Amino acid sequence: MGPLKKIAVLTSGGDAPGMNAAIRAVVRGAIYNKLEVMGVIRGFEGLIENDLIPMDSKSVSNIIQQGGTILKSARSKEFMTKEGRQIAYDNLKQHHIDALIVIGGDGTFTGARVFSQEFNIPTVGIPGTIDNDLYGTDYTIGYDTALNTVIEAVDKIRDTASAHSRLFFIEVMGRDAGFLALRSAIASGAEAVLVPEISTDYKKLDAFLKNSYNKEKSSSIVLVAEGDKISGGAIKVAERVDKEHPDYNVRVTILGHIQRGGSPSAFDRVAASRMGVSAVEALLDDQKSVMIGMVNNEIVYVPFNQALKHKKPLNPRLLELIEILSI
Amino acid sequence: MGPLKKIAVLTSGGDAPGMNAAIRAVVRGAIYNKLEVMGVIRGFEGLIENDLIPMDSKSVSNIIQQGGTILKSARSKEFMTKEGRQIAYDNLKQHHIDALIVIGGDGTFTGARVFSQEFNIPTVGIPGTIDNDLYGTDYTIGYDTALNTVIEAVDKIRDTASAHSRLFFIEVMGRDAGFLALRSAIASGAEAVLVPEISTDYKKLDAFLKNSYNKEKSSSIVLVAEGDKISGGAIKVAERVDKEHPDYNVRVTILGHIQRGGSPSAFDRVAASRMGVSAVEALLDDQKSVMIGMVNNEIVYVPFNQALKHKKPLNPRLLELIEILSI
Amino acid sequence: MGPLKKIAVLTSGGDAPGMNAAIRAVVRGAIYNKLEVMGVIRGFEGLIENDLIPMDSKSVSNIIQQGGTILKSARSKEFMTKEGRQIAYDNLKQHHIDALIVIGGDGTFTGARVFSQEFNIPTVGIPGTIDNDLYGTDYTIGYDTALNTVIEAVDKIRDTASAHSRLFFIEVMGRDAGFLALRSAIASGAEAVLVPEISTDYKKLDAFLKNSYNKEKSSSIVLVAEGDKISGGAIKVAERVDKEHPDYNVRVTILGHIQRGGSPSAFDRVAASRMGVSAVEALLDDQKSVMIGMVNNEIVYVPFNQALKHKKPLNPRLLELIEILSI
Amino acid sequence: MGPLKKIAVLTSGGDAPGMNAAIRAVVRGAIYNKLEVMGVIRGFEGLIENDLIPMDSKSVSNIIQQGGTILKSARSKEFMTKEGRQIAYDNLKQHHIDALIVIGGDGTFTGARVFSQEFNIPTVGIPGTIDNDLYGTDYTIGYDTALNTVIEAVDKIRDTASAHSRLFFIEVMGRDAGFLALRSAIASGAEAVLVPEISTDYKKLDAFLKNSYNKEKSSSIVLVAEGDKISGGAIKVAERVDKEHPDYNVRVTILGHIQRGGSPSAFDRVAASRMGVSAVEALLDDQKSVMIGMVNNEIVYVPFNQALKHKKPLNPRLLELIEILSI
């Protein structure tokens, strides 16, 4: 293959705040390095439908602060088939595109890895997901913004919880991982947290809630990760507690899709800007099938194989912190 | 009865942002007029439990910007009985309190009216509820803040709705009234709104959604007031639409208790400040059983009887506006 | 003149949050009424440079929540000349535009009035300015958002003022009018306010500050309208106080241009939506030279002559409120 | 010395968002470890004035989300004298306090180091400053919140900058360090940044601005750190540019004290919570004169000597990023 001349960028899977900042950094990083760059609309689906647009510096002006993704996102069933990927590849070739940058989560990288190997097309991934569940990077784009969205919501709910001395169970996103729930529990001063990584110890929760109740704390807040299947989510836990302790004044709120939106935080904008430029540099550096990661504030390349194989563990120190701080 | 020397203030029912600003205005308005003032903790419940504290200018420092209520709120069953109210009255007398200012919604005023008449104790109400459903006042304290909370949430959801071309049904508070849903629908650029005052015309909704879908709008958002019992709330409506149009990519979010909290908006802080001082002045002006209202930017006195008897109508012009603007 | 078929819309003068919501409402209101509509880029300047674009429903999608103005704004010297206006008129005619909707403040309406009369072209104004200084309307678009921006800033400054027991003078916008300063002073719990409408009584200010200092209030905040020329703005006032009372721990902050930006508040979005549609209806209603106003929550037509001739007075009741609440 | 039984905590120097979260973590961390804890009001000044209060779990309830510091802060001249420190020490002894935790910046730690050595009183520092200029820790408490405050302000200013095609010079805090300016420049999409660490290359700035102007970028934003003494701050730079290029439409905004306030971000709340508990553990671990740092997401102990001796360098990669992204 000859030297790199033209690349494409797409966003795929669940959207996350900061994806636009990453797109901007990819586009401007490419132009800075004398590469042409095209944007794919609606992820792998758009690649199959040949929905690509040329991008220049101006097409990413004034987007760094916007939530969502100007390239739109989608989940593509057709891309899971060999035939779909062949069409996608043919479209890339038609546009003389040499390499691909994909922004998304593990589903996105699974697709990208297969595609990259099948057609020998260099592909670099940028981790964009509010779940922060990718191995090999300390942070994913969107995670910090989602944390701030959650704590602002919990701050609001605590106003009303305090006014009425209520016990609130609040469900936050995180199908398979408790990162968002755990950190936002610490940051919002929640009294307890339930995460999928640890099976809920009802006796302990019960003892804790009884203790809070007896201390006449003005309110209590428990965060529940949606993916905590054993507990069944916030509604199930709340029903169980309410049944046993009808005097606890229990309420439930499911934060839902507000967690995916909003203007990205400073942290996410800086991370997205660094990762976007680094993704272009990785391609120039002849990388073929890696995710850009950030470890100890430095950029690293993480092979897709590795990022997808391992499960990132929760920091046990943070779990302990919840217990200390709710004393 | 002799001249007014000492008053008490309480918050009752569902809390609303701006209640603290109103408490501050009552306390400082009282002091400015050489009155003593006590705060009752936990509304009518606290009146029965004799949980009162003396308040001075400093006790309301730095609370104008806080959500919730420093006096806490509660719903009191005992106050619905003659015996309960007798205890409450005895407690007031024990503290030499001549008059009462209550901050809350229609439930609060219903209790206050009975109490005021039964014991001939002058009582003035300040309308504090995010529902804006009190007759005789253009605005209630908390309504404007809740509107802003809703539109910020919808702005976030639109980010992700646009990224995925989805149809979102978002449920907002408003058990009996569609004010919050209607205004926030206009302000958030929602494509449609379902309110309890108007029975849902499914044919029209269907035609509208089909039209949107065919126009390939990047996303559609429909606000649903929780109190829309005929439609059954956002979940029921969404299920129905999803069943008929599985291709519409339907999602639901219930905003829940975040709508009651948060730092009050400028509008609510000014309204609460005006109403709080006016409530004190109303007592000095020998009013006995009235709600403070704001009509055409001026303070008015509305007899409890009147405020509770009538139902405030939705502005039909605003309903029409939704239709024009979603073209 | 035949029936109305095609209109143009522009924004001019200082920008204000909610201008985009107004543009959206004009465009969709026009389409709803079967009118064609063009947008003029950069106000009257763009009219002279013939910089117009056709607009449809999609061109105003997803802008209701954006600050600034997608049509851009400018101040045009050329439009102040007869020759400039003739070119502007010729351009309108070339595009077969029958009428004009202008969004801005008094400078904008002064130009629009002359233009409208000179060429007999029906022109309707929408009041968009954070200063709220237009006669004939209770509110102008952008005012409520600016109020919220100011109080959020003052809330932040109070954190640090309280931590250090400082006296802060904070300058807010308002060249000729103290509306923004006065209302935001009430809403932020400021201890005093200096506005251009009232000459600063230094003795009173001094007595007040001395009193605060002796009471050991944890902090004091005084808002100063930039247009308060007699006092010379926040810096001059602060210097004077600091010189006389070096022990007061004085600080100054000038809020500046952040007050013009930001996502519009719910109030401003609803007002802009109503006014935008009403402006189109005013043209259909054969109005020729009026501003859309909002009085007592209802839309009114205010002749430019009247809106520009009178000065809107401050509400004396609000000035009194500051004094009561800072007791 | 016997085993640790009682400690005191204070905040000193410029306040920073997250200080309250740190106080809460110190207090609860102490209680969790069976220690008594007192709070000192107004920093070292309060230590000399013997202004201490006992603290329990409830006294730090509901403060994690508040800006400022409930313990207040001050700069103390008397503590710089041997006599002052002797009084402070005597007061500590009178209360049977064995060790001290101080939250602040380099001025605070300089005082703490002397005090600790002079009287052999174990003292642990928690880095709380928006400047992020302490050696030995990746982050200081308040830095992330200040970054978010700055970018929200710049987002607002960009609205109006874009509407008018203006060039804005915006001054941010940072007397001796450009961390805040540099990161917020990246995060807000600023076109250039001037920091004290690097002497301003006016030729380069000029060439850059000329290029932007010729490209007809809709607006340009340059961030200037206040401590950039060579350039003289934003006003001086703006005057110089305006003089040479009167056609550039130059404006200046000095963000000022809003940068110190506000509810802390999720990042700062988590960091403060971890550091607060770790400070208690450091004392239990027999540390005597160290700052708690966070390096690569792990807690480290940094001797005061080291933290104060070295100057933390800017990341050159981030400076380069600005150039790439403003292409």
Side-chain angles (χ1 to χ4, degrees):
Chain A
M1 210 177 77
L4 193 65
K5 282 189 191 155
K6 193 172 183 179
I7 66 171
V9 57
L10 61 81
T11 51
S12 167
D15 61 310
M19 281 187 161
N20 281 327
I23 294 169
R24 173 179 177 267
V26 166
V27 168
R28 296 203 169 161
I31 294 170
Y32 186 85
N33 285 291
K34 319 284 182 209
L35 302 176
E36 279 182 90
V37 56
M38 295 192 85
V40 187
I41 308 299
R42 304 189 69 239
F44 295 126
E45 194 74 18
L47 212 52
I48 293 171
E49 292 170 3
N50 203 9
D51 195 357
L52 288 88
I53 51 169
M55 301 192 83
D56 62 12
S57 178
K58 264 212 157 163
S59 52
V60 293
S61 275
N62 220 9
I63 66 166
I64 194 173
Q65 81 282 14
Q66 290 177 19
T69 156
I70 59 165
L71 293 179
K72 290 176 181 287
S73 185
R75 299 180 198 272
S76 172
K77 279 185 194 164
E78 212 180 336
F79 195 75
M80 291 183 193
T81 67
K82 180 78 205 261
E83 293 71 30
R85 292 191 297 272
Q86 181 68 51
I87 300 173
Y89 178 73
D90 294 344
N91 288 334
L92 281 183
K93 285 298 103 182
Q94 182 205 320
H95 290 288
H96 306 291
I97 288 165
D98 308 312
L100 195 59
I101 291 175
V102 299
I103 307 170
D106 53 4
T108 305
F109 297 164
T110 303
R113 179 177 52 173
V114 173
F115 187 60
S116 165
Q117 289 167 354
E118 228 165 34
F119 299 100
N120 192 28
I121 183 145
T123 304
V124 171
I126 296 175
T129 160
I130 64 168
D131 291 339
N132 198 33
D133 58 352
L134 286 162
Y135 187 86
T137 187
D138 292 344
Y139 293 105
T140 57
I141 297 168
Y143 176 54
D144 185 65
T145 305
L147 280 171
N148 281 299
T149 300
V150 171
I151 67 168
E152 277 169 37
V154 178
D155 285 353
K156 286 195 171 84
I157 291 171
R158 194 177 284 280
D159 285 343
T160 191
S162 299
H164 291 275
S165 305
R166 281 175 178 157
L167 164 59
F168 262 91
F169 290 89
I170 302 175
E171 186 173 304
V172 305
M173 284 191 167
R175 230 171 302 217
D176 308 301
F179 295 100
L180 189 59
L182 176 53
R183 275 207 174 237
S184 54
I186 294 171
S188 61
E191 275 72 18
V193 63
L194 306 183
V195 292
E197 286 86 347
I198 293 171
S199 72
T200 304
D201 181 341
Y202 272 103
K203 269 203 187 139
K204 201 170 151 192
L205 178 66
D206 217 57
F208 168 76
L209 293 175
K210 201 169 289 175
N211 188 30
S212 277
Y213 185 75
N214 292 336
K215 272 196 300 184
E216 296 195 34
K217 284 202 81 161
S218 64
S219 65
S220 289
I221 285 179
V222 178
L223 292 205
V224 183
E226 69 174 329
D228 188 0
K229 273 152 209 157
I230 301 151
S231 74
I235 291 177
K236 280 280 153 56
V237 179
E239 278 172 357
R240 184 172 170 157
V241 170
D242 186 45
K243 207 172 162 185
E244 288 181 34
H245 304 283
D247 47 329
Y248 278 12
N249 210 350
V250 172
R251 292 290 184 284
V252 181
T253 292
I254 296 168
L255 292 185
H257 282 83
I258 58 167
Q259 296 166 83
R260 289 206 179 282
S263 182
S265 69
F267 189 98
D268 275 333
R269 295 190 198 181
V270 173
S273 297
R274 291 182 71 179
M275 287 180 173
V277 170
S278 295
V280 173
E281 292 172 348
L283 287 175
L284 290 166
D285 198 26
D286 245 352
Q287 297 295 321
K288 286 196 177 316
S289 189
V290 300
M291 175 187 86
I292 300 297
M294 196 177 283
V295 174
N296 298 342
N297 300 315
E298 295 299 331
I299 293 292
V300 295
Y301 300 156
V302 188
F304 280 145
N305 281 333
Q306 205 179 316
L308 292 168
K309 199 164 81 185
H310 302 290
K311 191 162 161 58
K312 187 157 69 173
L314 286 182
N315 183 342
R317 184 65 181 135
L318 296 185
L319 279 164
E320 197 190 357
L321 210 54
I322 292 275
E323 210 173 312
I324 296 174
L325 293 174
S326 62
I327 203 168
Chain B
M1 211 178 77
L4 195 65
K5 282 189 190 155
K6 192 172 184 179
I7 65 171
V9 58
L10 61 81
T11 50
S12 167
D15 62 310
M19 280 186 163
N20 281 327
I23 295 168
R24 172 178 178 267
V26 167
V27 169
R28 296 203 169 160
I31 294 169
Y32 186 86
N33 285 291
K34 319 284 183 210
L35 301 177
E36 279 182 272
V37 57
M38 295 192 84
V40 187
I41 308 299
R42 303 189 70 237
F44 295 126
E45 193 75 17
L47 212 53
I48 293 171
E49 293 170 2
N50 203 10
D51 196 357
L52 289 87
I53 52 169
M55 300 192 83
D56 61 12
S57 179
K58 264 212 158 163
S59 53
V60 292
S61 275
N62 219 9
I63 67 166
I64 195 174
Q65 82 283 14
Q66 290 177 20
T69 156
I70 61 164
L71 293 179
K72 290 175 182 289
S73 185
R75 300 181 197 272
S76 172
K77 279 185 195 164
E78 211 179 339
F79 196 74
M80 291 182 194
T81 68
K82 180 79 205 259
E83 294 70 30
R85 291 191 296 273
Q86 182 68 51
I87 301 173
Y89 177 74
D90 294 344
N91 288 333
L92 282 183
K93 285 298 102 180
Q94 182 206 321
H95 291 288
H96 307 291
I97 288 165
D98 308 313
L100 195 58
I101 292 175
V102 299
I103 307 170
D106 53 4
T108 304
F109 297 164
T110 303
R113 180 177 53 172
V114 174
F115 187 61
S116 165
Q117 290 168 354
E118 228 165 34
F119 300 99
N120 192 27
I121 184 144
T123 304
V124 171
I126 295 175
T129 161
I130 63 168
D131 291 340
N132 197 33
D133 57 352
L134 286 161
Y135 187 86
T137 188
D138 292 344
Y139 293 105
T140 57
I141 297 167
Y143 176 53
D144 185 65
T145 305
L147 280 172
N148 282 298
T149 300
V150 170
I151 68 169
E152 278 169 36
V154 178
D155 285 354
K156 286 195 172 87
I157 291 170
R158 195 177 284 282
D159 285 343
T160 190
S162 298
H164 290 276
S165 305
R166 281 175 177 156
L167 165 59
F168 262 91
F169 290 90
I170 302 176
E171 186 173 303
V172 305
M173 283 192 167
R175 230 170 302 216
D176 308 301
F179 295 100
L180 189 59
L182 176 53
R183 276 207 173 237
S184 54
I186 294 172
S188 60
E191 275 72 17
V193 63
L194 306 183
V195 292
E197 286 86 348
I198 292 170
S199 72
T200 304
D201 182 341
Y202 273 103
K203 268 202 188 141
K204 202 171 149 190
L205 178 65
D206 217 58
F208 168 77
L209 293 175
K210 201 170 288 175
N211 187 29
S212 277
Y213 186 74
N214 292 337
K215 273 198 299 188
E216 296 196 35
K217 283 203 81 160
S218 64
S219 65
S220 289
I221 285 178
V222 178
L223 293 205
V224 184
E226 69 175 327
D228 188 0
K229 273 152 209 156
I230 301 152
S231 74
I235 291 176
K236 280 279 153 58
V237 179
E239 279 172 356
R240 184 172 169 156
V241 170
D242 186 45
K243 207 171 162 185
E244 287 181 34
H245 304 283
D247 47 330
Y248 278 12
N249 210 350
V250 172
R251 291 291 184 285
V252 181
T253 292
I254 296 168
L255 291 185
H257 281 84
I258 58 168
Q259 295 166 83
R260 288 205 179 283
S263 183
S265 68
F267 190 99
D268 275 333
R269 295 190 197 181
V270 173
S273 298
R274 290 181 71 179
M275 288 181 173
V277 170
S278 294
V280 173
E281 292 172 348
L283 287 176
L284 290 166
D285 197 25
D286 244 351
Q287 297 295 321
K288 286 197 177 314
S289 190
V290 300
M291 175 188 86
I292 301 297
M294 196 176 282
V295 174
N296 297 341
N297 300 315
E298 294 300 331
I299 293 292
V300 295
Y301 300 155
V302 187
F304 280 145
N305 282 332
Q306 205 179 315
L308 292 167
K309 201 166 79 185
H310 302 289
K311 191 162 162 56
K312 188 157 68 173
L314 287 182
N315 184 342
R317 183 67 181 133
L318 295 185
L319 280 164
E320 197 191 356
L321 211 53
I322 291 277
E323 210 174 312
I324 296 175
L325 293 173
S326 61
I327 203 170
Chain C
M1 209 177 77
L4 194 65
K5 282 188 193 155
K6 192 173 184 180
I7 66 171
V9 57
L10 61 80
T11 50
S12 166
D15 61 311
M19 280 186 163
N20 282 326
I23 294 168
R24 173 179 177 267
V26 167
V27 169
R28 296 204 170 162
I31 294 169
Y32 186 86
N33 285 291
K34 318 286 182 207
L35 301 176
E36 280 182 88
V37 55
M38 295 192 84
V40 187
I41 307 300
R42 304 188 68 237
F44 294 127
E45 194 74 17
L47 212 53
I48 292 171
E49 292 170 2
N50 203 10
D51 195 356
L52 289 87
I53 52 168
M55 300 192 84
D56 61 12
S57 179
K58 264 212 158 163
S59 53
V60 292
S61 275
N62 219 7
I63 66 167
I64 194 173
Q65 81 283 16
Q66 291 177 19
T69 156
I70 60 164
L71 293 179
K72 291 176 179 288
S73 185
R75 299 179 198 273
S76 171
K77 280 186 192 162
E78 211 179 338
F79 196 75
M80 291 182 194
T81 67
K82 179 78 204 259
E83 293 72 28
R85 291 192 296 272
Q86 181 68 52
I87 300 173
Y89 177 73
D90 293 346
N91 288 334
L92 282 183
K93 284 298 104 182
Q94 181 204 320
H95 291 288
H96 306 291
I97 288 164
D98 307 312
L100 194 59
I101 291 175
V102 299
I103 307 170
D106 53 4
T108 304
F109 296 163
T110 304
R113 179 177 53 172
V114 174
F115 187 59
S116 165
Q117 290 168 354
E118 228 165 33
F119 300 99
N120 193 28
I121 183 144
T123 305
V124 171
I126 296 174
T129 159
I130 64 168
D131 292 340
N132 197 32
D133 58 352
L134 286 162
Y135 187 84
T137 186
D138 292 343
Y139 294 105
T140 57
I141 297 168
Y143 176 54
D144 185 65
T145 306
L147 280 172
N148 281 299
T149 300
V150 171
I151 67 169
E152 278 168 36
V154 178
D155 285 353
K156 287 195 172 85
I157 292 170
R158 195 177 283 281
D159 284 343
T160 190
S162 299
H164 291 275
S165 305
R166 281 175 178 157
L167 165 59
F168 263 91
F169 290 90
I170 302 175
E171 186 172 304
V172 304
M173 284 191 166
R175 228 170 302 217
D176 308 301
F179 294 100
L180 189 58
L182 176 53
R183 275 204 174 240
S184 54
I186 294 171
S188 60
E191 275 72 17
V193 63
L194 306 182
V195 291
E197 285 86 348
I198 293 170
S199 72
T200 304
D201 182 341
Y202 272 103
K203 269 202 187 140
K204 202 171 149 191
L205 179 65
D206 218 57
F208 168 77
L209 294 175
K210 200 169 289 174
N211 188 28
S212 277
Y213 185 75
N214 291 337
K215 273 195 299 185
E216 297 197 34
K217 283 203 80 159
S218 64
S219 66
S220 290
I221 285 178
V222 179
L223 291 206
V224 184
E226 70 175 325
D228 188 1
K229 272 152 207 155
I230 301 150
S231 74
I235 291 176
K236 281 278 153 57
V237 179
E239 279 171 356
R240 184 171 170 158
V241 170
D242 186 45
K243 207 170 162 186
E244 288 180 32
H245 304 283
D247 47 330
Y248 278 10
N249 210 352
V250 172
R251 292 290 184 284
V252 181
T253 293
I254 295 167
L255 290 185
H257 282 84
I258 59 167
Q259 295 165 87
R260 288 205 180 284
S263 183
S265 68
F267 190 98
D268 276 333
R269 296 189 198 182
V270 173
S273 298
R274 290 182 72 179
M275 288 180 173
V277 170
S278 295
V280 173
E281 292 172 347
L283 287 175
L284 290 165
D285 198 25
D286 244 352
Q287 298 293 322
K288 286 197 176 317
S289 188
V290 299
M291 175 187 85
I292 300 297
M294 195 176 284
V295 174
N296 297 341
N297 300 315
E298 294 300 332
I299 294 292
V300 295
Y301 300 156
V302 189
F304 280 146
N305 281 333
Q306 205 179 316
L308 293 167
K309 199 165 82 185
H310 302 289
K311 191 163 162 54
K312 187 157 69 174
L314 287 183
N315 184 342
R317 184 64 181 137
L318 296 185
L319 280 164
E320 198 190 356
L321 211 53
I322 292 276
E323 210 173 312
I324 297 174
L325 293 174
S326 62
I327 203 168
Chain D
M1 210 177 76
L4 193 64
K5 282 190 193 153
K6 193 172 183 180
I7 65 170
V9 58
L10 61 80
T11 50
S12 167
D15 62 309
M19 281 187 163
N20 281 326
I23 294 168
R24 173 179 179 266
V26 167
V27 169
R28 297 204 169 161
I31 295 169
Y32 186 86
N33 286 290
K34 318 286 182 207
L35 301 176
E36 279 183 89
V37 57
M38 295 192 84
V40 187
I41 308 299
R42 304 188 68 237
F44 294 127
E45 194 74 17
L47 212 52
I48 292 171
E49 293 169 2
N50 204 9
D51 195 357
L52 288 88
I53 50 168
M55 300 192 84
D56 62 11
S57 179
K58 264 213 158 163
S59 52
V60 292
S61 275
N62 219 7
I63 66 166
I64 195 173
Q65 82 282 16
Q66 290 177 20
T69 155
I70 59 165
L71 293 178
K72 291 177 180 288
S73 185
R75 300 180 197 273
S76 171
K77 279 186 193 161
E78 212 180 337
F79 196 75
M80 291 182 193
T81 67
K82 179 77 203 261
E83 293 71 29
R85 291 192 296 272
Q86 181 69 51
I87 300 173
Y89 177 73
D90 293 345
N91 288 333
L92 281 183
K93 285 297 104 182
Q94 182 204 322
H95 291 288
H96 307 291
I97 288 165
D98 307 312
L100 195 58
I101 292 175
V102 299
I103 307 170
D106 53 5
T108 304
F109 296 163
T110 304
R113 179 177 53 173
V114 174
F115 187 61
S116 165
Q117 290 168 353
E118 227 165 35
F119 299 100
N120 192 27
I121 183 145
T123 303
V124 171
I126 296 175
T129 160
I130 63 167
D131 292 339
N132 197 32
D133 58 352
L134 286 162
Y135 187 85
T137 187
D138 293 342
Y139 294 105
T140 58
I141 297 169
Y143 175 54
D144 185 65
T145 305
L147 281 172
N148 281 298
T149 300
V150 171
I151 67 168
E152 277 169 37
V154 178
D155 285 353
K156 286 195 172 85
I157 291 170
R158 194 176 284 281
D159 284 343
T160 190
S162 298
H164 290 275
S165 305
R166 281 174 178 158
L167 165 59
F168 263 91
F169 290 90
I170 302 175
E171 186 172 304
V172 304
M173 284 192 166
R175 229 171 302 220
D176 308 301
F179 295 100
L180 189 59
L182 176 53
R183 273 203 176 241
S184 55
I186 294 171
S188 60
E191 275 73 18
V193 63
L194 306 182
V195 291
E197 286 86 347
I198 293 170
S199 71
T200 304
D201 181 343
Y202 272 103
K203 268 202 188 140
K204 202 170 149 190
L205 178 65
D206 217 58
F208 168 77
L209 293 175
K210 200 170 289 175
N211 187 29
S212 277
Y213 186 74
N214 292 336
K215 273 197 299 186
E216 297 197 34
K217 284 202 79 157
S218 63
S219 66
S220 289
I221 285 178
V222 178
L223 291 205
V224 184
E226 70 174 326
D228 188 1
K229 273 151 207 156
I230 302 151
S231 73
I235 291 175
K236 281 279 152 56
V237 179
E239 279 171 356
R240 183 171 171 159
V241 170
D242 186 45
K243 207 172 163 185
E244 286 181 34
H245 303 283
D247 47 331
Y248 278 10
N249 211 351
V250 172
R251 292 291 184 283
V252 181
T253 292
I254 296 168
L255 290 185
H257 282 83
I258 58 167
Q259 295 166 86
R260 289 205 179 283
S263 182
S265 68
F267 190 98
D268 275 333
R269 295 189 198 182
V270 174
S273 298
R274 290 181 72 178
M275 288 181 173
V277 170
S278 295
V280 173
E281 292 172 347
L283 287 175
L284 290 166
D285 197 26
D286 245 352
Q287 297 294 322
K288 286 196 175 317
S289 189
V290 300
M291 176 188 84
I292 300 296
M294 196 176 284
V295 174
N296 297 342
N297 301 315
E298 294 301 331
I299 294 292
V300 295
Y301 299 156
V302 188
F304 280 146
N305 281 333
Q306 206 179 316
L308 292 167
K309 200 166 80 184
H310 301 290
K311 190 162 161 55
K312 187 157 69 174
L314 287 183
N315 183 341
R317 183 65 181 136
L318 295 185
L319 280 164
E320 197 190 355
L321 211 53
I322 291 278
E323 210 173 311
I324 296 174
L325 293 174
S326 62
I327 203 167

